[in-house]
Amino acid sequence: MHAADERFGQRDAIGPHGVMLFYTAAAPAEPHGYQLFTAYRLWLASPESNNLPRLLADLAEVAADNIARATAAGRRWNPLGPDGSMVNGGDMTLPDSAVYVGVGVTTLDTDQGRWYQVARALRDQPIDHRRRSVFDLKGQCYALLTDGTVLHAERDPHAPLGVDGIRCNKTLDPDRISYYNPHANLTEQGDDATRGMWRQLGVLHHTLAALLTGEQQA
């Protein structure tokens, strides 16, 4: 968000969406016994990179093509590269023991408005009012994990105390055995654009999981 705000309107402006690949590796010294690694892909602002479902569909198609070409050549494609890398930042060199655990999307489009509208509004504020900054804006991310977990996390700097903005199809409290979860079918909730995003994120996740874990994810 900070980089997108700083480069807003410039030739190297960043698009509002990013894709993240999640890996974990055993780390006995860590509190939960593992370490999380995240590699990500950002795009420069363009009409193509603004359409999130289309962006995910294109990325899944590129991944499938890379897998097919590598397989035909007797190799195994790695989305982290070096050949046909799917990412351009984050943890791009991992321990040999690291395993793929999921894929996510981060976006600056929220219920406050599309990123370009909100970012432009920051620059058009009247000078006689309290001026908002990028620190007042929301952001959100969506994730699909190999154990079937589905997550939606909203970052709201003005959320009431105790509201963490996390929705999940599973309990986040391992001690809770039975409870009603209004987000059990999280991927079917929201507007058409959100459901379309979930579908395309699922295609990408299934493509990567089949390659990296050898399993077709439900």
Side-chain angles (χ1 to χ4, degrees):
M1 175 174 279
H2 299 156
D5 180 61
E6 290 173 356
R7 292 159 58 173
F8 183 79
Q10 301 180 21
R11 294 184 62 182
D12 62 346
I14 295 175
H17 314 303
V19 171
M20 302 164 287
L21 304 184
F22 302 117
Y23 293 79
T24 60
E30 295 294 326
H32 298 287
Y34 69 89
Q35 185 173 359
L36 175 67
F37 299 90
T38 304
Y40 61 81
R41 171 71 177 268
L42 298 177
W43 286 263
L44 294 178
S46 70
E48 293 76 18
S49 66
N50 295 341
N51 186 324
L52 182 53
R54 183 71 260 169
L55 194 69
L56 292 170
D58 290 344
L59 201 58
E61 186 175 335
V62 169
D65 288 344
N66 284 336
I67 292 170
R69 282 196 296 269
T71 301
R75 296 180 287 104
R76 189 168 184 262
W77 177 65
N78 186 339
L80 303 185
D83 297 324
S85 176
M86 208 175 79
V87 298
N88 55 19
D91 301 311
M92 300 171 67
T93 302
L94 305 180
D96 292 339
S97 61
V99 295
Y100 170 81
V101 294
V103 64
V105 162
T106 178
T107 177
L108 301 179
D109 290 344
T110 67
D111 59 7
Q112 289 178 320
R114 300 292 297 271
W115 164 246
Y116 295 108
Q117 298 169 332
V118 175
R120 190 172 297 110
L122 287 180
R123 289 154 175 80
D124 295 336
Q125 299 175 82
I127 60 175
D128 57 344
H129 288 76
R130 174 192 172 274
R131 296 182 66 81
R132 294 188 305 158
S133 75
V134 68
F135 295 100
D136 293 301
L137 302 184
K138 292 182 179 181
Q140 56 185 339
C141 62
Y142 306 84
L144 295 174
L145 305 183
T146 52
D147 68 349
T149 298
V150 178
L151 282 163
H152 172 230
E154 181 181 64
R155 182 192 67 252
D156 182 356
H158 302 295
L161 186 65
V163 176
D164 59 17
I166 298 175
R167 301 182 180 95
C168 185
N169 68 329
K170 298 182 178 182
T171 177
L172 298 177
D173 182 353
D175 296 324
R176 296 185 69 174
I177 299 175
S178 175
Y179 76 111
Y180 169 70
N181 185 357
H183 310 299
N185 298 311
L186 187 56
T187 60
E188 299 302 321
Q189 298 173 0
D191 56 21
D192 290 343
T194 301
R195 294 195 299 272
M197 180 282 304
W198 278 122
R199 286 192 294 272
Q200 297 303 334
L201 185 62
V203 173
L204 177 60
H205 177 49
H206 298 164
T207 301
L208 295 175
L211 169 72
L212 299 174
T213 71
E215 299 178 1
Q216 295 288 344
Q217 301 300 311

